[in-house]
Amino acid sequence: MIGLYQHPPTILHRVSAGYKLIALAVLSIVCMRIGNVAILAACLGALLAVYAGFGKPFVRRLAILRPLWPTMLAIFVAQIIVADWQSATASILRLLVMVLLADLVTMSTRMQAMMDALAPLLRPLRMFGVSSERISFCVAYVIRLVPLLLEQWQLYADAWRARTGNRPGWRLIAPFFANILRMAGRHAEALDARGFGASRQ
Amino acid sequence: MAQDGTFITFSNVDLSRGNEKLFSNLDIEIRERRVGIIGNNGSGKSSFLRLVNGLLLPDAGSVNVCGLDTCKDRNALPALAGFLFQNPDHQIVFPTVAEEIAFVLRERRVGAREAREAAVQLLAAHGHADWADRPVHQLSDGQKQLVCILAVTIGSPRVLLLDEPFSSLDLPTRHDLLMRLDMMPQLLVMASHDLDLLAGFDRVIWFEKGAIRGDGAPAKVIRDYRASFATMLEPLRIAAQ
């Protein structure tokens, strides 16, 4: 799941990425240790209050939880079978708390800041010839491309609907991918034009 | 005239695209500050620009930009000749504005904080300091194109190559961006179908099927270009009556 950077900025946007990541790690570990349903529910309530306090665009972000419900349901059922309903509820609450905590970090941290904070951890990869800068570049690029690809799909879907009057079907997939490949070529050319990687050759 | 030592020279350039020969023995020297490139689709406008920046290399002959040979000094070229594409979405790499503008500096090993500061300053100079942390996908097309212009010019290239950069923008935005470009010191080479916009340039070159069909003062070249397709359309016009 990739959450997106959120504008306008909140207090959290001012905290440095490193501290936020450490806090996230610590809080997540603490969260794993809590088995009490009431405490977990209180944590979730507090988090929801934080989201609400930041304003409407942040409350709307809670929609990121929607694709998670099948997984949650599966975990809940499995927990009831192997344990009891209390630990099942605790697991779900814990998951929600951890996802929302993590999203607070993603939405308030610029990609570059996040990657700079992670760079020391990625550095050992250099032994295998992988540059940590390249990894951070790729992650930022993917995040940039997500809204762009959604927009491209929408353009195709609109064109389809305009010409057929029907909802677009699987037949759009091939032209969509062909278009993405063409777009990838253009992006490569634009990077080339800006001298990407020249300083490392 | 462009700044001292800023020039583009094509000597005996041959270039094939696919199986077709596009340019043969092309000779051009550019020293004017603003040069427009016109011509029908497929006439060689884009290929011409790509040869200048080393995105395409000549099959024969040579292209020289401010003393650098595009074949030999290809890695040094992007710093010298910035390229602006038609669709900003095809060149923006980063999710937020300041990261995008700072990209070229970071590629040149400038520290993260320093690069960001330079980017924010440049945005402020253009009256958009508040864009720094805006997600790029929330900007309009014109705003995105301005971000692209800043992302290229922050690297202080001496030449700016523009491949139909304004074709999806409204008229006020075109003029706004062109005025901003005009205030920059770079030599501009712009391929465009917006003949009115090019009328104010110092020189216009008209390509047809890879050959120079017109070259010189914008007013005359643009008039000849218009006349050429007027003749071509004459039979249709008669048929329509």
Side-chain angles (χ1 to χ4, degrees):
Chain A
M1 184 183 62
I2 299 168
L4 286 173
Y5 181 78
Q6 187 80 44
H7 195 80
T10 64
I11 298 177
L12 280 175
H13 286 68
R14 267 181 266 153
V15 184
S16 94
Y19 290 133
K20 275 185 282 196
L21 288 173
I22 292 170
L24 176 64
V26 171
L27 287 174
S28 301
I29 291 167
V30 170
C31 201
M32 294 298 288
R33 298 258 155 207
I34 303 174
N36 187 317
V37 173
I39 297 177
L40 283 169
C43 292
L44 183 61
L47 263 175
L48 290 175
V50 169
Y51 272 82
F54 285 155
K56 245 187 210 150
F58 296 89
V59 175
R60 234 174 283 139
R61 280 183 77 89
L62 295 175
I64 55 162
L65 295 174
R66 206 177 299 150
L68 287 180
W69 78 262
T71 323
M72 300 250 184
L73 187 70
I75 293 172
F76 189 73
V77 171
Q79 284 282 332
I80 285 185
I81 293 169
V82 299
D84 51 73
W85 72 267
Q86 255 173 336
S87 65
T89 316
S91 310
I92 299 305
L93 288 173
R94 200 179 287 131
L95 256 177
L96 285 171
V97 167
M98 285 164 76
V99 168
L100 289 182
L101 269 178
D103 183 53
L104 278 180
V105 178
T106 18
M107 76 175 193
S108 66
T109 315
R110 265 177 297 111
M111 211 54 231
Q112 200 73 59
M114 181 89 83
M115 285 305 145
D116 288 347
L118 288 175
L121 300 177
L122 297 173
R123 211 157 283 153
L125 288 174
R126 213 168 275 178
M127 283 190 299
F128 309 104
V130 184
S131 133
S132 56
E133 283 142 1
R134 277 296 154 91
I135 295 178
S136 69
F137 174 81
C138 289
V139 173
Y141 215 160
V142 167
I143 292 194
R144 150 82 185 125
L145 288 177
V146 168
L148 196 59
L149 292 180
L150 291 175
E151 201 180 291
Q152 288 288 321
W153 175 265
Q154 196 55 50
L155 280 176
Y156 268 92
D158 286 349
W160 178 276
R161 208 166 286 148
R163 291 167 69 181
T164 65
N166 298 324
R167 281 167 62 83
W170 56 271
R171 276 196 286 176
L172 263 188
I173 291 172
F176 176 67
F177 275 98
N179 185 47
I180 288 179
L181 290 177
R182 256 198 312 276
M183 196 167 86
R186 298 228 174 82
H187 274 275
E189 190 184 38
L191 278 173
D192 207 9
R194 289 162 84 179
F196 178 63
S199 61
R200 291 185 195 103
Q201 276 166 13
Chain B
M1 281 297 266
Q3 294 165 294
D4 275 352
T6 304
F7 62 88
I8 298 165
T9 318
F10 280 56
S11 322
N12 291 317
V13 168
D14 286 0
L15 181 77
S16 297
R17 300 295 280 149
N19 291 324
E20 303 251 326
K21 190 148 197 173
L22 182 60
F23 296 130
S24 68
N25 273 319
L26 186 66
D27 279 311
I28 292 183
E29 183 170 326
I30 293 178
R31 285 181 188 275
E32 293 77 6
R33 208 182 81 69
R34 296 174 310 168
V35 179
I37 309 290
I38 60 173
N40 303 338
N41 292 340
S43 59
K45 300 190 300 295
S46 289
S47 300
F48 176 75
L49 293 176
R50 280 164 173 73
L51 279 166
V52 177
N53 167 285
L55 286 172
L56 289 177
L57 297 174
D59 302 331
S62 70
V63 178
N64 195 302
V65 184
C66 309
L68 292 187
D69 185 302
T70 58
C71 291
K72 291 178 201 139
D73 312 299
R74 202 169 167 268
N75 284 345
L77 264 179
L80 203 66
F83 205 111
L84 210 68
F85 295 84
Q86 181 175 351
N87 187 343
D89 276 330
H90 288 155
Q91 57 187 323
I92 295 178
V93 177
F94 285 93
T96 63
V97 173
E99 288 171 296
E100 173 65 17
I101 296 179
F103 170 60
V104 166
L105 296 182
R106 299 223 41 189
E107 270 298 292
R108 291 188 199 162
R109 298 278 179 220
V110 174
R113 186 164 302 175
E114 220 176 309
R116 181 179 158 83
E117 257 165 38
V120 174
Q121 261 174 28
L122 186 61
L123 275 168
H126 280 265
H128 296 299
D130 58 313
W131 287 7
D133 289 323
R134 288 260 297 267
V136 171
H137 69 270
Q138 286 179 5
L139 301 179
S140 72
D141 282 349
Q143 292 171 333
K144 279 183 197 165
Q145 197 57 286
L146 177 57
V147 168
C148 290
I149 290 173
L150 299 183
V152 170
T153 51
I154 198 170
S156 333
R158 289 164 73 179
V159 175
L160 259 186
L161 307 160
L162 307 107
D163 192 3
E164 300 182 34
F166 304 147
S167 49
S168 63
L169 305 180
D170 56 42
L171 283 177
T173 310
R174 290 179 189 203
H175 285 273
D176 174 284
L177 292 179
L178 189 66
M179 265 156 73
R180 289 174 198 268
L181 286 170
D182 257 347
M183 284 185 272
M184 297 173 182
Q186 278 86 8
L187 185 163
L188 302 181
V189 185
M190 178 162 118
S192 180
H193 294 296
D194 188 341
L195 302 177
D196 295 330
L197 209 63
L198 296 181
F201 275 38
D202 304 314
R203 173 180 174 188
V204 167
I205 302 172
W206 165 20
F207 280 108
E208 191 171 283
K209 293 177 186 152
I212 297 175
R213 173 94 185 263
D215 184 359
K220 181 175 176 354
V221 179
I222 290 172
R223 196 175 56 233
D224 292 350
Y225 176 58
R226 282 191 204 276
S228 79
F229 57 75
T231 334
M232 205 174 70
L233 295 179
E234 193 58 19
L236 272 178
R237 202 179 60 80
I238 293 167
Q241 274 170 356

